[in-house]
């Protein structure tokens, strides 16, 4: 249990640190942004408190200094500068390292002490100035006449207009203390946020002889009037276990102050209007009737009375705040990614099972079985869509990581580069996103190092000294297009070709198109860097990009305009789990074509000379399209049917035709990886299990498109010769 809660703490702390990095980079761009300053302070405060709660004392003590610094920042005593951002980013990275060790070893403690000393040195001049100012103000105040006490009331009114009153219902789980959480400390922290009325519930408290000191028997209602935000209050409870319950509601104190106990209980959803009206007709005290005739306890009555008294005091003190009532916020839960993977696997098995059931119903021709199969298909489709949605994440979750990368690389190289992002809300399967991080890191490093020129070079060529790297994403059917572009010098194709000749990758006599030259940078070991550095020059990176993207079933394309920059375009499938496909037959075997790539299906009666050709052509709706004969491509020797069919597909760049024996129909496809013997076959991306238990291979449209365009070029070259 303790290990589980520690893992929850580490996950939450990691998320806080991820967000903190983005907040600090935003703050560097807008040093006066008070909301971001408060967010940074709140993150440090939460990390400090929660790490102490879970026994990470080294993290807690270290973070305290950074929190104290940002407390001075938010009070306007210390400015936000480039130096402070550097210090805090260094501290953030160190906190991440400290979370991996507990207790802190001596070598890491020295690093902690060094960073703390740097913060103290940064703050010292401003604190000295503040001390001087404070002393001067103190001397001046001694010579001033005493202020009228009525002015204090005005100050209270001015301050109170910013306050909001909250009803907080905290129901900790019985085992909450087993993970190191101390509920009483959470209530104490709430008290520190403003004016609080705390009502404890102890009806579950057993006899003294039966008390387990490791169990929690209490729960609390808290009425809190505070200037803090809803997020500040939720941060107090950020590391609650899943069995504990927290409800947070705003209270409209403008009307609640005049409400009676029964109306307050209705607001708290503890009794309905009809029950209250029935009780009021009886000649007894309402509190007594509520306890006698409903499930409301004496402590719930006391809590409602405490709320009424709290609101009355706030109003009498001059607080005129009127906050809009709201329902408790929608709650979300953290789910282990492995469980989501298991869910998708189970949905895939259900898809396969239902396909077999559908096949059986067709074979037996039983209407009832067919009806059940169709109902099962609808339910499984709905379950599949819901499961897939659960796995979809905005790609912005990794985009934000690259702001720090560009900032640090720019500083190291002496360049001034801005990272611009677009389409951060574009969603992708989480497994795809996880595998995109490394390729994107390499491409961005390449753009910063090789793409964008030095400021003086840019200025001399009439460009803005500040360069731009743009990271964008958008949907394109069943794919996402991710572009990494820069406004730099573009690819020096002469330099690339010369380097390729020197390395023996190509011959000096080879005639290459611009596209073919650009593709050379993806060769293993290829680099045009003049010298090896920490950033580039080793010839590893771009080949990894292509390898990883290809493994995802995607493609990489390059567009480069000398003097104006380069763009790398990644085409990535939305998901790697389940797709809609078209089942076709080629010889005795069945294959699946992804439905999102299909434009149309046509009858095809080839001339005798074309029956044995791998590459042919057809005219479809006025377009002259190249076609690939899959029988010849896969070397299938079965007898050729009289009538064939062409499936016209689109690879987002062009259309091609896939010649097959026949089109069978739609098929919900659960993607299975190919074995070692087949994974390197060009034109296949995976496999699926059909309803009869047989295996169908999934055609890779992008690879086939590349093959057919290559064959066309070869035919053209042969014809010219």
């Amino acid at each position: 249990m303790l290990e589980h809660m520690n893992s929850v703490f580490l996950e939450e702390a990691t998320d806080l640190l991820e967000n903190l990095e983005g907040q600090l980079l935003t703050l560097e761009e807008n040093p006066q942004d008070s909301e971001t300053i408060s967010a940074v302070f709140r993150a440090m405060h939460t990390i400090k408190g929660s790490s102490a709660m879970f026994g990470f004392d080294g993290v807690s003590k270290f973070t305290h200094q950074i929190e104290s610094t940002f407390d001075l920042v938010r009070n306007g005593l210390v400015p936000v500068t480039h130096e402070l951002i550097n210090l805090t980013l260094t501290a953030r990275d160190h906190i991440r390292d400290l979370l991996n060790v507990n207790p802190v070893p001596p070598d890491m403690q020295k690093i902690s002490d060094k960073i703390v000393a740097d913060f103290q040195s940064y703050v010292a001049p401003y604190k000295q100035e503040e001390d001087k100012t404070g002393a001067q103000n103190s001397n001046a105040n001694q010579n001033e006449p005493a202020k009228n006490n009525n002015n204090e009331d005005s100050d209270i009114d001015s301050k109170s207009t910013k306050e909001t009153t909250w009803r907080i219902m905290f129901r900790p789980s019985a085992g909450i203390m087993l993970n190191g959480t101390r509920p009483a400390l959470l209530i104490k922290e709430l008290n520190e946020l403003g004016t609080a009325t705390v009502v404890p519930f102890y009806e579950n408290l057993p006899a003294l002889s039966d008390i387990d000191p490791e169990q929690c028997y209490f729960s609390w209602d808290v009425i809190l009037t505070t200037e803090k935000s809803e997020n500040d209050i939720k941060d107090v409870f950020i590391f609650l276990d899943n069995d504990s319950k927290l409800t947070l509601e705003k209270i409209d104190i403008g009307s609640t102050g005049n409400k009676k106990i029964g109306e307050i209980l209705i607001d708290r959803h503890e009794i309905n209007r009809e029950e209250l009206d029935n009780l009021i007709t009886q000649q007894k005290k309402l509190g007594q009737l509520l306890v006698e005739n409903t499930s409301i306890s004496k402590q719930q009555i006391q809590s409602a009375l405490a709320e009424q008294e709290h609101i009355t005091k706030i109003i009498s003190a001059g607080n005129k705040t009127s906050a809009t009532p709201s329902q408790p916020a929608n709650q979300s839960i953290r789910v282990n990614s492995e469980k989501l993977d298991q869910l998708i696997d189970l949905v895939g098995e259900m898809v396969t099972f239902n396909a077999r059931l559908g096949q059986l119903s067709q074979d037996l021709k039983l209407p009832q079985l067919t009806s059940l199969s169709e109902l099962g298909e609808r339910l499984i489709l709905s379950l599949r869509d819901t499961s897939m949605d659960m796995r979809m994440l905005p790609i912005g979750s990794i985009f934000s990581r690259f702001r720090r990368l560009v900032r640090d690389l720019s500083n190291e190289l002496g360049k001034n580069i801005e990272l611009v992002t677009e389409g951060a809300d574009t969603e992708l399967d989480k497994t795809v996103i996880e595998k995109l991080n490394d390729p994107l890191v390499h491409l961005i490093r390449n753009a910063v190092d090789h793409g964008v020129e030095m400021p003086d070079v840019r200025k001399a060529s009439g460009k803005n000294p500040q360069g731009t790297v743009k990271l964008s994403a958008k949907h394109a059917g069943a794919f996402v297009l991710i572009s990494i572009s820069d406004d730099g010098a573009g690819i020096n194709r002469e330099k690339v070709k010369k380097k390729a000749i020197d390395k023996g990758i190509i011959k000096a006599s080879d005639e290459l198109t611009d596209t073919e030259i650009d593709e050379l940078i993806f060769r293993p070991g290829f680099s045009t860097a003049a010298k090896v550095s920490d950033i580039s020059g080793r010839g590893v990176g771009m080949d990894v990009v292509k390898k990883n993207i290809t493994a995802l079933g995607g493609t990489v394309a390059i567009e480069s305009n000398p003097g104006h920059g380069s763009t790398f375009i990644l085409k990535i499938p939305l998901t790697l789990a389940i797709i809609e496909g078209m089942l076709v037959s080629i010889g005795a075997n069945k294959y699946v074509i992804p439905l999102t790539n299909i434009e149309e299906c046509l009858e095809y009666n080839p001339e005798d000379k074309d029956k044995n050709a791998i590459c042919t052509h057809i005219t479809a709706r006025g377009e002259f399209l190249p076609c690939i004969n899959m029988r010849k491509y896969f070397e299938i020797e079965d007898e050729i049917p009289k009538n064939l069919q062409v499936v016209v597909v689109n690879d987002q760049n062009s259309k091609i035709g896939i010649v097959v024996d026949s089109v069978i129909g739609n098929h919900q496809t659960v993607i299975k990886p190919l074995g070692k013997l087949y994974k390197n076959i060009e034109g296949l991306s995976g496999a699926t299990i059909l309803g009869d238990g047989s295996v169908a291979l999934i055609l890779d449209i992008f690879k086939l498109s590349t093959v057919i365009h290559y064959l066309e070029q070869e035919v053209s070259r042969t014809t010219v010769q």
Side-chain angles (χ1 to χ4, degrees):
M1 177 70 174
L2 184 58
E3 289 182 2
H4 170 69
M5 292 312 300
N6 275 344
S7 67
V8 171
F9 158 69
L10 291 173
E11 287 179 12
E12 295 285 356
T14 300
D15 286 348
L16 283 169
L17 291 173
E18 288 286 344
N19 294 332
L20 178 61
E21 183 174 87
Q23 291 161 355
L24 289 170
L25 296 175
T26 299
L27 187 58
E28 186 173 34
E29 297 170 359
N30 303 285
Q32 305 301 323
D33 188 343
S34 59
E35 289 187 8
T36 306
I37 292 171
S38 296
V40 172
F41 173 81
R42 187 166 60 246
M44 290 299 182
H45 178 74
T46 303
I47 292 172
K48 183 193 76 170
S50 56
S51 57
M53 183 183 300
F54 286 89
F56 286 77
D57 295 333
V59 175
S60 180
K61 291 177 182 178
F62 174 74
T63 310
H64 174 71
Q65 179 63 44
I66 298 93
E67 178 198 21
S68 299
T69 300
F70 273 88
D71 190 29
L72 295 172
V73 172
R74 68 175 184 162
N75 288 323
L77 304 178
V78 172
V80 175
T81 63
H82 180 72
E83 181 185 357
L84 177 61
I85 297 299
N86 280 340
L87 280 174
T88 313
L89 285 171
T90 301
R92 175 256 179 205
D93 294 343
H94 187 57
I95 293 171
R96 183 188 56 197
D97 295 337
L98 289 175
L99 290 172
N100 296 320
V101 292
N102 194 29
V104 180
D107 57 332
M108 294 192 70
Q109 184 59 51
K110 289 181 181 178
I111 298 174
S112 296
D113 295 341
K114 171 65 168 60
I115 297 174
V116 167
D118 290 341
F119 270 96
Q120 291 172 342
S121 298
Y122 179 82
V123 170
Y126 303 105
K127 291 188 72 174
Q128 291 173 2
E129 185 65 28
E130 175 60 21
D131 290 342
K132 291 179 183 178
T133 304
Q136 293 170 359
N137 290 339
S138 177
N139 293 332
N141 289 338
Q142 290 177 6
N143 299 322
E144 290 182 3
K147 293 183 179 180
N148 191 310
N149 287 338
N150 291 336
N151 290 340
E152 295 178 4
D153 293 336
S154 299
D155 291 341
I156 291 174
D157 279 340
S158 175
K159 180 180 179 181
S160 64
T161 56
K162 301 177 182 178
E163 293 181 333
T164 304
T165 299
W166 300 86
R167 179 188 299 125
I168 304 164
M169 297 180 181
F170 176 36
R171 306 291 182 260
S173 64
I176 189 172
M177 292 189 292
L178 295 176
N179 61 46
T181 304
R182 296 294 179 262
L185 295 180
L186 301 182
I187 299 300
K188 180 182 178 182
E189 191 168 350
L190 276 183
N191 267 288
E192 295 172 353
L193 295 182
T195 303
T197 299
V198 180
V199 181
F201 286 71
Y202 46 84
E203 67 269 17
N204 295 327
L205 188 65
L208 184 60
S209 59
D210 297 329
I211 288 180
D212 181 349
E214 294 184 343
Q215 296 288 301
C216 179
Y217 301 102
F218 284 75
S219 59
W220 289 267
D221 280 359
V222 180
I223 311 302
L224 175 66
T225 301
T226 178
E227 294 180 356
K228 302 295 184 182
S229 68
E230 182 177 0
N231 285 334
D232 289 327
I233 298 172
K234 288 182 177 179
D235 282 346
V236 174
F237 300 93
I238 194 169
F239 293 106
L240 279 189
D241 57 330
N242 292 333
D243 295 328
S244 297
K245 292 181 174 58
L246 177 72
T247 303
L248 188 64
E249 295 177 317
K250 286 182 182 178
I251 300 175
D252 182 359
I253 64 172
S255 58
T256 305
N258 299 321
K259 286 185 178 179
K260 297 180 180 180
I261 293 300
E263 294 171 321
I264 292 177
L265 290 169
I266 290 174
D267 285 346
R268 296 161 68 104
H269 313 294
E270 292 171 351
I271 189 174
N272 60 44
R273 172 64 65 180
E274 185 179 355
E275 289 175 321
L276 179 62
D277 291 341
N278 291 335
L279 291 173
I280 290 176
T281 60
Q282 303 181 38
Q283 300 299 314
K284 288 185 180 181
K285 291 183 177 180
L286 180 58
Q288 180 182 352
L289 289 171
L290 287 167
V291 173
E292 290 177 355
N293 297 279
T294 69
S295 60
I296 294 179
S297 67
K298 289 182 179 180
Q299 289 178 327
Q300 286 174 302
I301 298 293
Q302 292 172 357
S303 180
L305 286 168
E307 179 177 325
Q308 186 184 52
E309 184 179 355
H310 180 100
I311 301 301
T312 301
K313 287 182 179 179
I314 293 297
I315 292 178
S316 64
N319 189 342
K320 307 299 182 183
T321 302
S322 178
T324 305
S326 65
Q327 298 296 323
N330 292 332
Q331 295 186 353
S332 59
I333 61 173
R334 181 183 293 273
V335 179
N336 190 300
S337 61
E338 291 181 0
K339 292 183 178 180
L340 283 179
D341 293 338
Q342 291 171 3
L343 177 61
I344 292 297
D345 289 342
L346 290 173
V347 172
E349 294 299 328
M350 291 178 67
V351 169
T352 302
F353 167 79
N354 198 71
R356 299 187 68 176
L357 182 62
Q359 184 69 46
L360 182 63
S361 68
Q362 291 180 10
D363 294 342
L364 298 179
K365 297 181 180 179
L366 294 175
Q368 291 179 328
L369 190 59
T370 301
S371 178
L372 286 174
S373 174
E374 292 173 351
L375 175 61
E377 183 176 6
R378 288 196 298 272
L379 293 174
I380 291 171
L381 279 173
S382 179
L383 179 60
R384 180 203 68 179
D385 293 341
T386 302
S387 303
M388 295 301 297
D389 286 343
M390 290 168 62
R391 287 165 55 104
M392 302 299 278
L393 295 174
I395 198 169
S397 60
I398 60 171
F399 275 14
S400 58
R401 303 175 190 172
F402 303 128
R403 294 175 65 191
R404 173 79 181 278
L405 175 65
V406 171
R407 176 189 184 273
D408 291 349
L409 288 178
S410 300
N411 290 338
E412 185 175 346
L413 294 168
K415 297 181 179 181
N416 183 6
I417 301 176
E418 177 188 17
L419 177 67
V420 178
T421 60
E422 286 184 0
D425 56 347
T426 304
E427 291 189 330
L428 262 173
D429 190 296
K430 73 170 191 67
T431 55
V432 178
I433 285 182
E434 290 167 358
K435 295 177 181 179
L436 273 177
N437 185 69
D438 286 349
L440 289 178
V441 166
H442 287 303
L443 288 172
I444 290 173
R445 290 171 70 94
N446 182 75
V448 172
D449 189 20
H450 295 288
V452 180
E453 314 96 321
M454 297 296 289
D456 54 343
V457 175
R458 292 177 62 85
K459 191 173 182 180
S461 60
K463 291 184 178 181
N464 186 334
Q466 182 185 58
T468 301
V469 173
K470 185 175 181 181
L471 186 58
S472 63
K474 64 179 180 179
H475 284 115
F479 292 81
V480 167
L481 298 181
I482 302 173
S483 299
I484 303 91
S485 59
D486 64 72
D487 62 350
I491 295 177
N492 186 331
R493 295 190 174 101
E494 290 184 6
K495 185 176 181 181
V496 169
K497 186 175 181 180
K498 183 178 183 305
K499 194 74 173 182
I501 293 171
D502 293 342
K503 285 183 169 290
I505 296 175
I506 60 173
K507 297 177 182 178
S509 58
D510 289 345
E511 295 184 6
L512 303 179
T513 64
D514 288 348
T515 300
E516 289 172 334
I517 294 174
D518 293 345
E519 290 286 333
L520 290 172
I521 67 175
F522 291 116
R523 296 292 186 92
F526 187 88
S527 174
T528 58
K531 61 179 180 178
V532 175
S533 68
D534 291 338
I535 300 174
S536 64
R538 292 178 174 81
V540 293
M542 300 305 289
D543 61 316
V544 174
V545 169
K546 188 156 190 176
K547 181 179 179 181
N548 289 354
I549 297 303
T550 302
L552 286 173
T555 59
V556 186
I558 307 174
E559 296 176 357
S560 185
N561 186 358
H564 298 281
S566 303
T567 300
F568 291 80
I569 303 170
L570 312 183
K571 189 178 296 180
I572 311 294
L574 277 173
T575 178
L576 305 178
I578 302 173
I579 62 170
E580 290 289 343
M582 179 75 76
L583 194 64
V584 300
S585 67
I586 305 172
N589 302 314
K590 295 183 176 65
Y591 298 83
V592 174
I593 301 175
L595 197 60
T596 52
N597 294 111
I598 297 177
E599 294 279 332
E600 59 182 330
C601 299
L602 305 171
E603 294 291 333
Y604 180 55
N605 297 306
E607 298 179 7
D608 291 338
K609 65 181 180 64
D610 291 331
K611 287 185 177 180
N612 294 316
I614 291 182
C615 182
T616 60
H617 292 82
I618 63 168
T619 301
R621 304 187 186 281
E623 289 186 81
F624 191 63
L625 301 180
C627 297
I628 182 168
N629 188 328
M630 299 309 299
R631 274 181 161 271
K632 293 300 176 183
Y633 183 73
F634 287 137
E635 298 181 357
I636 297 173
E637 301 296 337
D638 295 351
E639 183 180 350
I640 301 176
K642 291 183 179 179
N643 297 317
L644 299 174
Q645 290 184 296
V646 173
V647 181
V648 179
V649 295
N650 190 335
D651 70 349
Q652 301 297 328
N653 293 323
S654 60
K655 292 180 182 180
I656 63 170
I658 307 292
V659 180
V660 300
D661 289 2
S662 64
V663 173
I664 299 173
N666 289 3
H667 183 266
Q668 195 175 165
T669 305
V670 180
I671 302 174
K672 302 289 186 182
L674 293 170
K676 293 182 179 179
L677 292 175
Y678 303 97
K679 67 178 183 179
N680 292 322
I681 296 179
E682 292 285 339
L684 299 177
S685 62
T688 188
I689 301 174
L690 302 178
D692 59 2
S694 61
V695 174
L697 299 173
I698 302 170
L699 298 182
D700 188 331
I701 299 305
F702 299 100
K703 296 287 181 59
L704 292 176
S705 177
T706 302
V707 168
I708 195 169
H709 290 310
Y710 172 78
L711 291 174
E712 280 194 304
Q713 291 176 0
E714 287 298 308
V715 169
S716 299
R717 288 175 181 174
T718 303
T719 303
V720 171
Q721 292 174 356

